Amino acid sequence: MPKLIYEGKSKKVYDLGGEELLLEFKDEVTAFDGKYKDIVPNKGRLSAMLSAKLFEILEEAGIRTHYICFVENRFLKVRKCNAIPLEVIVRNYAYGSFLKRMPLVNLLKKFSKPIIEFHYKSDELHDPLLLEEDIVEAGLLTDEEVKKIKEIALKVNDVLSDFWAKNGLKLIDFKIEVGKDPKTNELLVIDDLSGDSMRVLTPEGKHLDKETYRRTRDVNLLIEGYRRLAEIAGSPTRICK
Ligand SMILES: Nc1ncnc2c1ncn2[C@@H]1O[C@H](COP(=O)(O)OP(=O)(O)O)[C@@H](O)[C@H]1O
Ligand SMILES: [Mg+2]
């Protein structure tokens, strides 16, 4: 087994040597910065498969990502990047922490155009919202890079929104992480694209994402949604040899 270099809330990261990492998706769910935690059999496999498939869809649309291939039955082989400690959120409809900071807007109001937010990745500080200026002043990114990441985030939004819409589902919001390829300095979409990182609603207003768990802490409800997302998306085709 390759060397474990990091264990996060939802994944384990192994160093494959050279320029590659292996991400293992865990059978665990957490909410509210790790305050709640449960074992969920099969979640790792379903999330890894969905992530792999969605990374393939992004790549087909010309968006550069860290994804190399899917490894049975819960792993992604990816390019090792210098991760930027930010969460980039794109919102199409008002939900979650947006409503806490902007109470004048009603739940699920469709925005006239997508809203992009940057948050500093820190469980202790509860991922605080940042201004673009904060990011530049802290030396995390240049102005140009902030601009480029916003373009990437909007393109990811178009591709994922269209994909779910074709299947009758509504993409409320999502978060991505971005890293830099250590060789080329190119900005790549990294981490995962799963029910943990996006809100997806059925026409009846049912959540197929982690929101079910945040609200009810019911792991059966959670896995039912994740199974539907994975079934709708279909299996990844780039399987590691
Ligand atoms: N291609 C990559 N290169 C380097 N780091 C990555 C890459 N993809 C994901 N990561 C990092 O691996 C970790 C994945 O573990 P996760 O369980 O999501 O952690 P967390 O609890 O910090 O969210 C995250 O810290 C993420 O930034
Ligand atoms: Mg994470």
Side-chain angles (χ1 to χ4, degrees), residues 187-231:
L187 292 164
L188 304 178
V189 181
I190 64 167
D191 209 44
D192 71 71
L193 297 168
S194 69
D196 288 0
S197 49
M198 59 186 76
R199 290 191 176 97
V200 182
L201 280 187
T202 68
E204 300 77 41
K206 210 173 129 187
H207 275 279
L208 302 182
D209 55 72
K210 199 167 98 174
E211 196 62 30
T212 47
Y213 178 78
R214 286 191 199 100
R215 287 186 192 176
T216 66
R217 246 144 279 139
D218 182 337
V219 296
N220 293 317
L221 222 52
L222 175 88
I223 208 70
E224 203 182 288
Y226 279 39
R227 190 165 293 124
R228 268 194 72 192
L229 286 181
E231 271 168 15

Side-chain angles (χ1 to χ4, degrees), residues 1-16 21-28 43-49 51 66 69-78 191-192 196:
M1 196 65 192
K3 190 173 150 229
L4 179 70
I5 54 169
Y6 179 79
E7 174 156 4
K9 294 186 295 297
S10 66
K11 298 183 287 304
K12 290 181 186 174
V13 183
Y14 301 90
D15 196 338
L16 292 175
L21 298 175
L22 190 67
L23 302 183
E24 176 180 3
F25 287 66
K26 304 200 286 188
D27 278 344
E28 272 177 30
K43 174 176 181 282
R45 184 178 70 86
L46 293 169
S47 294
M49 282 183 63
S51 280
H66 69 156
C69 51
F70 174 74
V71 185
E72 283 294 343
N73 61 14
R74 62 180 63 237
F75 303 91
L76 259 55
K77 196 193 268 190
V78 301
D191 209 44
D192 71 71
D196 288 0

Side-chain angles (χ1 to χ4, degrees), residues 6 13 15 19 21 24-25 37 44 61 65 88 98 104-105 108 134 149 161 163-164 175 181 195 201 207 220 222 228:
Y6 179 79
V13 183
D15 196 338
E19 288 144 30
L21 298 175
E24 176 180 3
F25 287 66
K37 182 167 153 183
T65 80
V88 184
F98 176 89
L104 300 178
V105 170
L108 283 175
D134 302 344
I149 290 177
S161 293
F163 177 72
W164 291 125
K175 78 97 188 169
D181 186 307
L201 280 187
H207 275 279
N220 293 317
L222 175 88
R228 268 194 72 192

Side-chain angles (χ1 to χ4, degrees), residues 17-231:
E19 288 144 30
E20 295 174 357
L21 298 175
L22 190 67
L23 302 183
E24 176 180 3
F25 287 66
K26 304 200 286 188
D27 278 344
E28 272 177 30
V29 63
T30 65
F32 306 108
D33 301 318
K35 194 168 154 215
Y36 299 102
K37 182 167 153 183
D38 276 290
I39 304 286
V40 192
N42 233 357
K43 174 176 181 282
R45 184 178 70 86
L46 293 169
S47 294
M49 282 183 63
L50 178 61
S51 280
K53 179 66 185 185
L54 294 180
F55 276 123
E56 289 178 5
I57 289 167
L58 295 191
E59 293 263 332
E60 277 161 29
I63 300 167
R64 306 296 311 272
T65 80
H66 69 156
Y67 175 72
I68 300 172
C69 51
F70 174 74
V71 185
E72 283 294 343
N73 61 14
R74 62 180 63 237
F75 303 91
L76 259 55
K77 196 193 268 190
V78 301
R79 273 201 268 170
K80 193 191 292 178
C81 292
N82 297 318
I84 299 157
L86 297 175
E87 302 210 328
V88 184
I89 297 178
V90 181
R91 302 182 180 276
N92 296 308
Y93 298 85
Y95 214 108
S97 65
F98 176 89
L99 296 168
K100 291 216 175 96
R101 73 159 196 271
M102 188 12 106
L104 300 178
V105 170
N106 290 331
L107 175 70
L108 283 175
K109 174 199 155 58
K110 187 171 184 1
F111 295 128
S112 58
K113 59 183 184 195
I115 293 178
I116 302 176
E117 292 173 7
F118 292 93
H119 291 250
Y120 178 54
K121 237 178 102 90
S122 162
D123 285 342
E124 269 164 45
L125 303 177
H126 309 294
D127 299 341
L129 180 67
L130 300 176
L131 300 180
E132 290 175 27
E133 288 85 346
D134 302 344
I135 298 168
V136 175
E137 290 299 331
L140 281 176
L141 295 169
T142 64
D143 270 325
E144 266 309 301
E145 288 168 335
V146 170
K147 211 170 131 217
K148 184 84 220 293
I149 290 177
K150 287 168 78 176
E151 282 168 21
I152 294 170
L154 288 177
K155 190 145 186 223
V156 172
N157 186 42
D158 284 345
V159 174
L160 293 184
S161 293
D162 283 359
F163 177 72
W164 291 125
K166 264 190 267 163
N167 291 288
L169 301 176
K170 204 150 84 175
L171 182 62
I172 304 301
D173 52 30
F174 66 92
K175 78 97 188 169
I176 52 170
E177 290 182 31
V178 175
K180 276 190 205 167
D181 186 307
K183 275 201 171 147
T184 62
N185 240 12
E186 194 181 9
L187 292 164
L188 304 178
V189 181
I190 64 167
D191 209 44
D192 71 71
L193 297 168
S194 69
D196 288 0
S197 49
M198 59 186 76
R199 290 191 176 97
V200 182
L201 280 187
T202 68
E204 300 77 41
K206 210 173 129 187
H207 275 279
L208 302 182
D209 55 72
K210 199 167 98 174
E211 196 62 30
T212 47
Y213 178 78
R214 286 191 199 100
R215 287 186 192 176
T216 66
R217 246 144 279 139
D218 182 337
V219 296
N220 293 317
L221 222 52
L222 175 88
I223 208 70
E224 203 182 288
Y226 279 39
R227 190 165 293 124
R228 268 194 72 192
L229 286 181
E231 271 168 15

